[in-house]
Amino acid sequence: MAELETAAEHERILREIESTETACIGPTLRSVYDGEEHSHFMDKLEVRIRNHDREIEKMCNFHYQGFVDSITELLKVRGEAENLKNKVTDTNRTLQLEGSELLSSMKELQQCRIQQRNITATVEKLSLCLPVLEMYTKLRVQMKTKRHYPALKTLEQLEHTYLPQVSHYRFCQVMVDNIPKLREEIKEVSMSDLKDFLESIRKHSERIGEFAMKQAQQQRSLDNILALQTKGGLGKRCKKDLCPSPEMNGTSPMSEQDSGILDVEDEDEEEEAPGTQDLVDFSPVYRCLHIYTVLGSREVFENYYRKQRRKQARLVLQPPSNMHETLDGYRKYFYQIVGFFVVEDHILHTTVGLVNRAYIDELWELALSKTMAALRTHSSYCSDPNLVLDLKNLIVHFADTLQGYGFSVNQLFDMMLEVRDQYSEILLKKWAVVFRNILDADNYSPIPVSDETAYRRTVSLFPFQDPDLEKQPFPKKFPFSEFVPKIYCQIKEFIYACLKFSEDLHLSSTEVDDMIRKSTNLLLTRTLSSCLQTIIKRKNVGLTELVQIIINTSHLEISCKFLEEFITNITNVLPDTVHTTKLYGLTTFKDARQAAEEEIYTNLNQKIDQFLQLADYDWVASESSDCASDYLVDLVAFLNSTFAVFTHLPGKVAQTACMSACKHLSTSLTQLLLEAEVKQITIGALQQFNLDVKECERFARSGPVPGFQGDTLQLAFIDLRQLLDLFIKWDWSTYLADYGQPTCKYLRVNPTTALTLLEKMKDPSRKNNVFAQFRKNERDKQKLIETVAKQLRGLINSHHS
């Protein structure tokens, strides 16, 4: 095929030589020398020349003359042809020389073109590999600087965009093999950051809670200041001031600048309050959440986060054992709880699905029950009312803070009612000590005042009005002692203390009024009453002190209406309101006064008993002395001096005390006669005893206490008087004849009592028998006594039947 092509080419060149002008034959000849078959072309040319020679010969034969001419011309041409050939040869030689240099240059150009093509191809390949390497370098830098979420995005771009373009390179395969390891490394590092965050947030919960509660307190102060302005003018929720809140539309940001959570320095623009950035950086949570979301392990992350936070919640809710000792213990406990839930609330509002409202409500229910149980337990150990009051304020602050974050705190305010009762009990115990100190330190003497200033000072402490006392010249005395104004002032202080607890509890005026009145009633009916009863029952309290206590309690009872007005003024609840609790504590003073009165009666009787213990009767004396016994004279003198002190007492109290003393004296004297130890009594002893009874009757007639009508007081001795008259006059016939009749002379003489005393007078076993002076008539006397005794027994038996 090549030979045919060459032959055809040579044929074409020959035709061109034949048909082309001589001036233009150069390019044709050059084409011959361009090829490598010029020898064959020469052969062809020779053949063609011979052919043309034969044709020329034929033509010459046909045109001989013309041929001769042509030969002649040809010969001429031959020389020129030789010249031309030489020129062509020279030209060819020159061309070859010149062409060799050109060919060398062409080879160099070809080599340069090849190198250029290779360089271009290399540049193209490098342009594909360099982005991969740059992305990988960026990935390493991001990993080193702990920007894990951008590293994950870079890794995703590297895997899906860049590496497929250069996948046939071995270094790319190494990168592809490292991608799963890098992802796992990012997961581990981000989880490590999360663990560090959880540990840090556990340590800083107290600071977070403290900051949140201070913010809530400031917000509350602002609310109070701006109470009359529109709600729209109020500040944002305090929780938004706690930490930066990134604006997020999904679970992952579009870039590092979208949320401000990937780099700490980016959060400065989102900061809403000074100092919040120092509290907490939530970026580890967001990064870890986004990383696990991108890696398809979001549920694993959510479960881990919730599990760890539940554990931390249980630790936070475990109160320290000595929490009740100081307010700081409660404060730190509340700070930790608030800090925990502020963090969870922030996570709720800045992420989608990491925590939800049901999860937080569950934790809050747990926290609420644990917190209330802890408060109930530890507050029960508290005995300082100021600490309980501070604790109440702290609980209210704690509840208000969490309520601002949307948590239900109604149970906490309900529990405050329990704390209020405990606070009231502690106040009662404290005031019990105060009252006891006041009562112990009192001198139980009317308050003396020497000038108007002292008088007004006392009146300013206690609402006392007495026109008669005001008219008296100085110096003068109030009817009550020092403990009256002191106790009245302390009751008002107690009311103030109760009022302090009701502040900020969101209670109505009626509820506050009801609480104060109930507590005040307890103070009066239980605490003050107990203190008064104790001081009244004390052994060393004398009659003068008891009298003063009765006077004092009377004035305190009157002052209760002023306490009612005082409570009304501070609560603005009218006393006639339907639900208003009345102060029934005035019964305390009535009971105390009654106890004091009873104690006066008892004390008087004890004093009488002490005098009677000095009685030393000679029951077998033959005759009596001319005057009453010394012990009884002293007793009557004591009674006179005692009842002289009773002038300030209410009339009925003094009269009752006097009557009680006389009755007790009469009963005690009767018991002296009827004592079993006294085996025998003589007429002389009875006459001496009669003198003592007459002394008592003279005391009764003297009117030691005004107000008795007639001989009412003497009736206290009527039983003893009739008994003595019966024996001294020996008027048995009258007694036995008139017994049982309403007009009987000895109506108050009981036959059993008469029989007992009669048996003591007939006892023959003693020397100095009562009838020894009548020995001649002894038998008749004994018979008479036996007869009377028999008749008395008959009366007794008939009475019992």
Side-chain angles (χ1 to χ4, degrees), residues 713-777:
L713 192 57
Q714 298 179 54
L715 294 178
F717 300 97
I718 189 65
D719 294 356
L720 186 57
R721 167 51 51 207
Q722 291 185 5
L723 179 64
L724 290 175
D725 288 347
L726 175 62
F727 276 85
I728 291 174
K729 295 178 181 180
W730 205 251
D731 196 7
W732 291 105
S733 58
T734 304
Y735 177 77
L736 294 173
D738 297 341
Y739 181 79
Q741 297 179 7
T743 58
C744 179
K745 181 179 180 180
Y746 304 101
L747 180 63
R748 298 202 177 251
V749 178
N750 188 290
T752 303
T753 304
L755 178 63
T756 301
L757 185 57
L758 187 63
E759 292 288 342
K760 293 177 183 292
M761 299 184 69
K762 75 171 186 175
D763 188 3
S765 63
R766 299 276 186 177
K767 294 180 179 181
N768 299 325
N769 189 279
V770 71
F771 297 106
Q773 57 181 327
F774 305 112
R775 291 185 183 278
K776 297 180 181 180
N777 300 320

Side-chain angles (χ1 to χ4, degrees), residues 52-117:
H52 282 289
D53 284 345
R54 282 194 294 271
E55 290 180 359
I56 292 170
E57 186 177 357
K58 288 179 181 180
M59 288 295 294
C60 286
N61 290 334
F62 183 73
H63 300 285
Y64 180 75
Q65 186 62 41
F67 175 72
V68 174
D69 295 336
S70 297
I71 288 298
T72 300
E73 292 291 331
L74 182 59
L75 289 176
K76 294 179 181 178
V77 171
R78 186 175 181 178
E80 294 178 1
E82 285 294 333
N83 293 331
L84 178 63
K85 181 177 178 181
N86 292 331
K87 291 180 179 180
V88 169
T89 301
D90 293 338
T91 302
N92 180 54
R93 187 182 301 112
T94 304
L95 182 63
Q96 289 299 326
L97 291 175
E98 297 293 335
S100 61
E101 294 179 3
L102 179 62
L103 287 175
S104 176
S105 298
M106 289 297 292
K107 286 182 180 180
E108 291 179 1
L109 178 61
Q110 183 182 9
Q111 189 63 31
C112 288
R113 294 283 176 87
I114 292 172
Q115 290 178 355
Q116 185 178 11
R117 185 169 60 248

Side-chain angles (χ1 to χ4, degrees), residues 320-342:
S321 58
N322 61 342
M323 183 175 72
H324 60 276
E325 295 178 358
T326 61
L327 187 65
D328 286 338
Y330 291 103
R331 186 179 287 112
K332 292 179 180 179
Y333 181 61
F334 286 143
Y335 283 166
Q336 290 180 353
I337 296 174
V338 172
F340 178 88
F341 282 100
V342 165

Side-chain angles (χ1 to χ4, degrees), residues 584-603:
Y584 53 82
L586 52 88
T587 58
T588 294
F589 306 114
K590 293 181 179 179
D591 295 341
R593 190 161 57 251
Q594 183 177 357
E597 293 171 3
E598 294 293 337
E599 195 64 23
I600 286 176
Y601 308 150
T602 303
N603 199 313

Side-chain angles (χ1 to χ4, degrees), residues 53 107 137 298 380 414 465 569 666 769:
D53 284 345
K107 286 182 180 180
T137 302
R298 180 187 177 94
S380 63
D414 292 340
Q465 294 178 350
N569 290 334
S666 175
N769 189 279

Side-chain angles (χ1 to χ4, degrees), residues 10-286:
H10 290 171
E11 190 65 28
R12 181 186 64 76
I13 294 172
L14 290 173
R15 285 196 297 272
E16 287 184 359
I17 292 173
E18 293 173 346
S19 60
T20 304
E21 295 180 0
T22 304
C24 298
I25 199 171
T28 303
L29 292 176
R30 188 171 62 250
S31 65
V32 173
Y33 287 98
D34 286 339
E36 297 178 358
E37 301 295 335
H38 56 275
S39 60
H40 293 289
F41 177 74
M42 294 301 294
D43 293 339
K44 286 281 187 180
L45 183 59
E46 289 295 333
V47 172
R48 180 61 63 88
I49 291 172
R50 283 195 298 269
N51 289 336
H52 282 289
D53 284 345
R54 282 194 294 271
E55 290 180 359
I56 292 170
E57 186 177 357
K58 288 179 181 180
M59 288 295 294
C60 286
N61 290 334
F62 183 73
H63 300 285
Y64 180 75
Q65 186 62 41
F67 175 72
V68 174
D69 295 336
S70 297
I71 288 298
T72 300
E73 292 291 331
L74 182 59
L75 289 176
K76 294 179 181 178
V77 171
R78 186 175 181 178
E80 294 178 1
E82 285 294 333
N83 293 331
L84 178 63
K85 181 177 178 181
N86 292 331
K87 291 180 179 180
V88 169
T89 301
D90 293 338
T91 302
N92 180 54
R93 187 182 301 112
T94 304
L95 182 63
Q96 289 299 326
L97 291 175
E98 297 293 335
S100 61
E101 294 179 3
L102 179 62
L103 287 175
S104 176
S105 298
M106 289 297 292
K107 286 182 180 180
E108 291 179 1
L109 178 61
Q110 183 182 9
Q111 189 63 31
C112 288
R113 294 283 176 87
I114 292 172
Q115 290 178 355
Q116 185 178 11
R117 185 169 60 248
N118 290 340
I119 291 173
T120 302
T122 302
V123 171
E124 290 177 355
K125 296 300 182 182
L126 287 176
S127 64
L128 291 177
C129 294
L130 281 177
V132 177
L133 297 174
E134 289 174 354
M135 291 294 288
Y136 194 78
T137 302
K138 181 180 178 182
L139 173 64
R140 282 301 182 183
V141 172
Q142 289 171 337
M143 293 284 290
K144 186 177 181 180
T145 57
K146 296 184 178 181
R147 299 173 63 192
H148 302 115
Y149 181 75
L152 194 61
K153 300 295 288 184
T154 302
L155 187 62
E156 183 179 357
Q157 291 179 355
L158 186 65
E159 181 181 17
H160 295 95
T161 304
Y162 293 95
L163 285 177
Q165 298 177 3
V166 290
S167 60
H168 53 282
Y169 295 108
R170 283 184 298 173
F171 78 89
C172 294
Q173 188 60 42
V174 174
M175 291 182 182
V176 171
D177 295 339
N178 282 337
I179 285 176
K181 297 179 182 178
L182 291 173
R183 282 201 176 96
E184 194 62 31
E185 182 181 351
I186 291 174
K187 285 181 64 175
E188 292 176 357
V189 173
S190 63
M191 182 57 72
S192 176
D193 290 345
L194 177 68
K195 291 179 180 178
D196 293 341
F197 167 80
L198 291 175
E199 181 66 21
S200 174
I201 207 69
R202 186 180 69 84
K203 294 179 180 178
H204 293 91
S205 289
E206 183 178 332
R207 288 182 58 213
I208 296 170
E210 180 180 4
F211 184 78
M213 291 181 70
K214 287 182 179 178
Q215 289 284 63
Q217 190 172 15
Q218 293 174 2
Q219 184 66 43
R220 184 170 184 174
S221 299
L222 289 175
D223 289 345
N224 292 334
I225 295 173
L226 305 176
L228 300 179
Q229 298 183 6
T230 59
K231 293 183 179 180
L234 297 178
K236 296 181 180 179
R237 293 174 66 192
C238 59
K239 65 179 182 180
K240 294 182 179 179
D241 292 331
L242 179 63
C243 48
S245 177
E247 298 175 359
M248 300 175 60
N249 297 324
T251 57
S252 62
M254 296 300 294
S255 68
E256 296 181 21
Q257 289 78 24
D258 287 340
S259 63
I261 61 175
L262 301 178
D263 296 305
V264 175
E265 58 269 19
D266 293 337
E267 296 179 8
D268 292 338
E269 298 178 358
E270 301 291 334
E271 194 171 354
E272 295 184 1
T276 57
Q277 186 56 45
D278 298 331
L279 289 175
V280 62
D281 175 19
F282 288 91
S283 56
V285 180
Y286 302 134

